[in-house]
Amino acid sequence: MSHRSVVIAAAVNNEQILADTLALSPDLTSGRVKFIPVRAAESASAAYNTVLSETTADLVIFVHQDVYLPAGWVALILSEALRLDQESPDWAVMGVYGITREGKHLGRIWSGDQQLELVGDGGLSGAIASLDEVVLILRTNAGLSFDPDLPHFHMYGTDIVQMAASAGRSAHVIQAPVVHNTIPVVSLAGGFTAGYRFLQKKWAVRLPIVTSMTTITHAGLPLFRARARHWWYSRRMIKRSGIEPPRVTDVVALAKAVGYESIVNA
Ligand SMILES: [Mn+2]
């Protein structure tokens, strides 16, 4: 089948970040692609399920509000969807950065808080265990939705991949780099830990599950290592970039400068 209809959706809690990043994406400024913002959501799952219940699009592209999509990006997604229809007819979800069951990183993305490109270990094939939440593309006729019981705004990229696998569906990483203009997050306590605990129980029979930030295990020791590591790392990053006031990045120029538009339009 062909994927003719596509929408872009985001959970929005900061209008300035949205205006300075996602809203500058040419696919949105041109009005070619419909944008569905969800404001004041209590969790990513709740926000994204609202979108799924309101759209009849074949593909729903869920992105963070702090992501810039280079010119030509949605056209690339449509062609990648068609390719997957042929090569992996069972596909349900794709992302631009993810990790395999063996812990191999796949994809590429610009990381704003680190001011560098994250590049995977090479190649894009492998059994995906987790997709980075920065971009998640759902094929709606696969019938998946987000778990309404998963709290906060973390771990839903891992959860949706695991749910796809439970339904006999596959997840994929494609080469479609974006600029993630994120600012350093101070702590993985709170929402991240709550998400970790939720998945620990939900997927107990499948553990360990590798994610890009940590590994979900029965005992949960990697969570504490990740929290400690992240705390030191974010303090360093905040010191370097200065979180007050937030650093302003010209995402349009950056995407061009790092060559993303030539990759996307190759
Ligand atoms: Mn983000």
Side-chain angles (χ1 to χ4, degrees), residues 67-78:
V67 164
Y68 174 74
L69 310 171
W73 192 84
V74 170
L76 173 62
I77 298 309
L78 290 168

Side-chain angles (χ1 to χ4, degrees), residues 70-102:
W73 192 84
V74 170
L76 173 62
I77 298 309
L78 290 168
S79 76
E80 287 294 275
L82 286 171
R83 180 180 63 80
L84 286 180
D85 288 348
Q86 301 300 315
E87 295 174 9
S88 303
D90 66 346
W91 81 274
V93 54
M94 56 181 164
V96 301
Y97 200 87
I99 190 155
T100 68
R101 289 176 197 161
E102 297 77 31

Side-chain angles (χ1 to χ4, degrees), residues 79-263:
S79 76
E80 287 294 275
L82 286 171
R83 180 180 63 80
L84 286 180
D85 288 348
Q86 301 300 315
E87 295 174 9
S88 303
D90 66 346
W91 81 274
V93 54
M94 56 181 164
V96 301
Y97 200 87
I99 190 155
T100 68
R101 289 176 197 161
E102 297 77 31
K104 200 175 142 188
H105 286 240
L106 307 181
R108 60 195 294 177
I109 192 167
W110 183 266
S111 170
D113 61 344
Q114 300 170 79
Q115 289 291 291
L116 52 78
E117 186 178 46
L118 301 178
V119 184
D121 302 321
L124 291 171
S125 61
I128 303 299
S130 172
L131 290 172
D132 194 302
E133 287 84 6
V134 67
V135 173
L136 292 173
I137 301 150
L138 250 64
R139 178 195 201 180
T140 54
N141 72 1
L144 290 182
S145 58
F146 293 85
D147 187 337
D149 295 325
L150 172 59
H152 302 283
F153 291 85
H154 299 275
M155 294 284 181
Y156 51 95
T158 302
D159 194 46
I160 198 76
V161 168
Q162 297 298 324
M163 285 196 288
S166 290
R169 298 277 189 165
S170 60
H172 301 265
V173 172
I174 58 168
Q175 171 152 289
V178 299
V179 173
H180 189 199
N181 195 30
T182 192
I183 54 174
V185 177
V186 182
S187 168
L188 296 184
F192 186 86
T193 294
Y196 187 99
R197 297 292 180 212
F198 182 85
L199 264 61
Q200 220 177 10
K201 288 197 188 77
K202 179 175 179 181
W203 300 110
V205 298
R206 293 214 187 155
L207 301 182
I209 296 172
V210 193
T211 79
S212 54
M213 299 283 281
T214 185
T215 300
I216 306 170
T217 65
H218 287 284
L221 291 177
L223 171 65
F224 292 100
R225 282 198 294 274
R227 280 170 57 164
R229 193 171 60 234
H230 187 82
W231 189 81
W232 285 108
Y233 151 82
S234 59
R235 278 179 59 91
R236 205 171 66 238
M237 287 301 162
I238 287 165
K239 212 171 153 191
R240 190 190 294 174
S241 63
I243 200 169
E244 286 294 346
R247 178 172 29 78
V248 177
T249 300
D250 181 346
V251 288
V252 182
L254 179 67
K256 284 192 174 74
V258 297
Y260 282 3
E261 292 192 349
S262 12
I263 293 169

